Amino acid sequence: MSGEIKYNVISVRQGDSFIINIELKNGCKPVNLEGAELRMDVRKNKNLIFSAVGVKVDVEKGKMAIVLTPEQTNNEVGEYDCDIQLTTADGSINTIYPANVNQIGTFRITEQVTQGV
């Protein structure tokens, strides 16, 4: 699983799998994510490139993950806009990535050398 997350940039090598682990806390206490949904959109010039939906890991401890497949990351090398939104059981929507409300997240696909089979 190759990739990295730094501040407002998610980087992954073209055609690779990558798991984005999410752990939400309120102070030091985990946020119960029972009934919550997680969604990531990646866009280029406002056109949707792909969406990914979160999977439950341990919702009582605030843990979910977004599992990116090689098909999703096998797009042109470059930078795309992205965000991750959490919809809670009561219907409220919160953009959790990027955390800074004044920035748009960047999803960067870097060049590969070895072509997958």
Side-chain angles (χ1 to χ4, degrees), residues 26-47:
N26 185 359
C28 293
K29 296 183 180 181
V31 174
N32 188 327
L33 297 175
E34 190 66 44
E37 294 180 5
L38 196 61
R39 176 187 168 110
M40 175 183 186
D41 281 353
V42 175
R43 297 179 180 271
K44 183 76 166 193
N45 300 322
K46 300 191 180 190
N47 295 313

Side-chain angles (χ1 to χ4, degrees), residues 80-93:
Y80 301 80
D81 295 334
C82 74
D83 68 8
I84 299 173
Q85 289 188 331
L86 176 74
T87 302
T88 60
D90 68 4
S92 67
I93 298 173

Side-chain angles (χ1 to χ4, degrees), residues 28-101:
C28 293
K29 296 183 180 181
V31 174
N32 188 327
L33 297 175
E34 190 66 44
E37 294 180 5
L38 196 61
R39 176 187 168 110
M40 175 183 186
D41 281 353
V42 175
R43 297 179 180 271
K44 183 76 166 193
N45 300 322
K46 300 191 180 190
N47 295 313
L48 184 65
I49 303 302
F50 71 85
S51 284
V53 177
V55 295
K56 294 173 169 75
V57 176
D58 188 342
V59 293
E60 291 180 2
K61 293 186 179 176
K63 296 180 181 182
M64 293 180 80
I66 295 175
V67 180
L68 300 180
T69 66
E71 293 78 22
Q72 291 167 316
T73 65
N74 196 24
N75 282 287
E76 286 185 41
V77 170
E79 294 189 349
Y80 301 80
D81 295 334
C82 74
D83 68 8
I84 299 173
Q85 289 188 331
L86 176 74
T87 302
T88 60
D90 68 4
S92 67
I93 298 173
N94 300 283
T95 300
I96 60 169
Y97 178 86
N100 185 332
V101 298

